[in-house]
Amino acid sequence: MNILVTGGAGYIGSHTVVELMNAGHNPIIADDLSNAHYSAVDRIGKITGKVPTFYKVNCACKAQLRHVFSQHKIDAVIHFAAFKAVGESVKKPLEYYRNNLDSTMTLLEVMEEFGCKKLVFSSSATVYGPNNPHPYKEEMPAIQSSSPYGWTKVMNERILTDYCTAHPDFSAVLLRYFNPIGAHESGLLGDDPNGIPNNLMPYIGRVAAGQLEKLTIFGGDYETPDGTCQRDYLHVVDLAVGHLKALEYAAEHNGVEAINLGTGNGISVLELVNAFQKVNGIKLPYVVGPRRDGDLPAFWADATKAKQLLGWEATHTVEDMCRSSWNFAKKGV
Ligand code: WQD
């Protein structure tokens, strides 16, 4: 199938494009490169042997999106394109609401115009907010978040749910990611944010590569076994395969479906740091500092529904995630 992948030059998007090509699909990337590099598209070509079709597109611009749909018969869309830095969203709420909501609504309008009725949406565990018990289950209220970024995911889920109610022949799968880390085994694709990383694993990679002095662990006094926060870290390639499975599900079903993509296990910051040091034979300089505002002590997925509905489960180990992260970071690509 011809699959439009918005944000397909990004961290998760590029790994998903590789899995789509491995499965024989024809992914078409639409990315404005605001938080990605065109080099990722070339690297996909090195991995798969074919450089995917690429358009520099701002998904909030209807004319640019219409042009892509007029060039290809798009069978389905995987919608990654969004601003995604939690801290930045607190400082720039309007930019986040404008970009992340306009892009989804514009995409739906253009999909309707061209008769494309299958969508996989990049959502996030952040929609569960601070009040649900973990492990998070899809039927729990997903109606609040702790940042404008997270609120755009809650609102986009609402927009897609209401759109599916109004259009019963439309299919939307809302994938709620937990904490994607790791990199493609080639070391050519990985999490390479602009500037100083907000997220744990890319920050660890920069420290290990000597580009940053030390890691600060945000808080060592939480009510967790070792005092540091626990998260459900999953390998980005497992996550990418989950999108393929979601696409196959959307092709056979109508309506809206929220599905967690996680391992179902909680790992603490300290456990991840120790695993990284052990598997890569690296001593990682770190200090334990104050808590970071907005962090929850612990959450992870109930991954049952993905297994039952998609036949998907995470297969990579923490060691795989740490090894592949370092294999990417040390190349300094
Ligand atoms: C993980 C743990 C930090 C950096 C966020 C978004 C979520 C999703 C994934 C987009 C926490 C600790 C981190 C550091 C640290 N993003 N940490 N030192 O906050 O669970 O989730 O990224 O979809 O929506 O909320 O991920 O990697 O930032 O933090 O100690 O330098 O690592 O306190 O406990 P998080 P994270």
Side-chain angles (χ1 to χ4, degrees), residues 132-146:
N132 283 306
H134 56 273
Y136 292 157
K137 297 180 192 306
E138 290 87 349
E139 59 270 25
M140 289 177 177
I143 53 171
Q144 64 176 110
S145 187
S146 52

Side-chain angles (χ1 to χ4, degrees), residues 8 17 32 133 179 189 241 248:
V17 167
D32 67 1
N179 286 61
L189 297 176
V241 171
E248 291 161 3

Side-chain angles (χ1 to χ4, degrees), residues 1-4 25-28 72-77:
M1 294 194 287
N2 290 340
I3 314 292
L4 178 66
H25 292 295
N26 173 36
I28 293 139
H72 307 270
K73 183 189 175 311
I74 304 293
D75 299 302
V77 179

Side-chain angles (χ1 to χ4, degrees), residues 100-282:
N100 291 6
L101 300 183
D102 267 5
S103 60
T104 302
M105 290 185 281
T106 304
L107 175 64
L108 286 171
E109 288 169 342
V110 176
M111 287 177 74
E112 186 170 330
E113 181 182 342
F114 286 86
C116 181
K117 302 174 188 292
K118 305 293 178 189
L119 176 71
V120 174
F121 174 68
S122 165
S123 191
S124 167
T126 192
V127 302
Y128 288 109
N131 301 319
N132 283 306
H134 56 273
Y136 292 157
K137 297 180 192 306
E138 290 87 349
E139 59 270 25
M140 289 177 177
I143 53 171
Q144 64 176 110
S145 187
S146 52
S147 68
Y149 157 77
W151 277 110
T152 69
K153 293 299 184 183
V154 172
M155 293 172 186
N156 271 321
E157 287 201 0
R158 182 74 260 159
I159 290 165
L160 289 164
T161 301
D162 291 345
Y163 187 83
C164 286
T165 303
H167 301 268
D169 59 348
F170 194 88
S171 174
V173 179
L174 316 175
L175 295 180
R176 292 173 179 168
Y177 308 161
F178 282 72
N179 286 61
I181 62 172
H184 188 267
E185 60 188 4
S186 64
L188 292 174
L189 297 176
D191 192 359
D192 183 23
N194 296 331
I196 305 287
N198 295 299
N199 296 140
L200 178 61
M201 187 53 96
Y203 199 103
I204 288 175
R206 301 271 173 93
V207 172
Q211 294 158 358
L212 290 171
E213 183 202 349
K214 65 180 180 306
L215 169 71
T216 300
I217 295 180
F218 297 142
D221 59 350
Y222 285 99
E223 295 291 307
T224 59
D226 65 16
T228 65
C229 294
Q230 295 170 297
R231 293 290 183 273
D232 185 333
Y233 296 99
L234 80 152
H235 198 292
V236 65
V237 172
D238 279 332
L239 185 60
V241 171
H243 286 74
L244 197 59
K245 298 286 189 184
L247 207 53
E248 291 161 3
Y249 180 85
E252 302 298 319
H253 298 80
N254 291 339
V256 64
E257 202 70 66
I259 301 177
N260 290 337
L261 290 186
T263 66
N265 305 308
I267 290 172
S268 76
V269 177
L270 215 42
E271 285 170 328
L272 194 65
V273 167
N274 290 334
F276 185 92
Q277 294 186 106
K278 184 171 181 212
V279 80
N280 294 313
I282 289 174

